[in-house]
Amino acid sequence: MRFFNKKVSAYYTVEASFVIPMAIGTIVFILYAAFYLYGRCILSQDCYILSFRASKVTEEMNMSEEQFVSNRQSEQFGNRYFGNNRPDIKTVKEGKNITVTATNSSRHRAMAGYFIMPGSKWGYTAKGKARESDPPHNMRLAKRMVDICREIKD
């Protein structure tokens, strides 16, 4: 009977052996999720910038939009993808629309399978779309239409 009334001094050690790994796993998960979200945001921004710049390619550059994107992708992506792989790019031009699609994955293999950490890579896709336009041509066209309407009116 005396054994049940005796206090055990290892109570906190047993509790800490469960709580501390869960707390560390949660903190690491939050950090990895932040890297993942950063990678997604920067990838969608880079895809749109590449598609917008490709829509401004003129005949004077002597290259297609796809060639422009492939030449500029390393300059655009740079070294900003901390904790993520280098993106894979696919460019499609349909009429006047230029679409740049990029896929990427993050390299988070630490603590894989423990508590809430997934064991596989976290993949994501981003798409940027721009329409090819010629603003000076549109302004000249609008000005010419106004001039024609004024001449007809007079």
Side-chain angles (χ1 to χ4, degrees):
M1 278 312 253
R2 270 190 240 169
F3 179 72
F4 293 111
N5 293 333
K6 191 174 183 181
K7 291 193 175 194
V8 179
S9 61
Y11 172 71
Y12 292 111
T13 306
V14 173
E15 183 178 313
S17 69
F18 291 109
V19 173
I20 298 298
M22 281 194 251
I24 290 173
T26 304
I27 291 169
V28 168
F29 176 74
I30 290 170
L31 289 173
Y32 284 164
F35 288 142
Y36 173 77
L37 289 175
Y38 170 76
R40 281 188 59 164
C41 290
I42 201 80
L43 186 66
S44 64
Q45 175 185 340
D46 285 343
C47 285
Y48 177 72
I49 289 172
L50 277 174
S51 64
F52 179 73
R53 289 180 181 167
S55 72
K56 301 298 178 194
V57 171
T58 61
E59 289 86 21
E60 298 153 4
M61 297 178 110
N62 295 327
M63 67 173 66
S64 68
E65 288 80 2
E66 291 85 2
Q67 290 172 338
F68 178 82
V69 170
S70 65
N71 290 345
R72 291 287 182 105
Q73 73 182 14
S74 62
E75 178 186 329
Q76 181 66 39
F77 294 143
N79 294 324
R80 292 184 288 185
Y81 291 91
F82 179 72
N84 296 296
N85 294 323
R86 199 82 176 180
D88 297 323
I89 299 292
K90 180 182 170 192
T91 307
V92 176
K93 182 177 180 188
E94 297 172 346
K96 289 191 172 196
N97 293 327
I98 299 165
T99 306
V100 176
T101 307
T103 57
N104 201 357
S105 61
S106 55
R107 300 183 300 237
H108 305 311
R109 292 182 206 93
M111 298 180 67
Y114 292 104
F115 299 110
I116 56 175
M117 296 298 291
S120 62
K121 292 182 177 182
W122 302 355
Y124 50 92
T125 303
K127 185 184 286 189
K129 191 174 189 180
R131 185 173 174 87
E132 187 178 332
S133 64
D134 187 7
H137 172 72
N138 294 338
M139 292 298 290
R140 285 191 301 270
L141 182 65
K143 188 176 180 314
R144 183 66 184 144
M145 295 294 279
V146 168
D147 291 343
I148 290 172
C149 288
R150 283 185 185 156
E151 285 193 23
I152 291 175
K153 189 177 179 183
D154 292 335

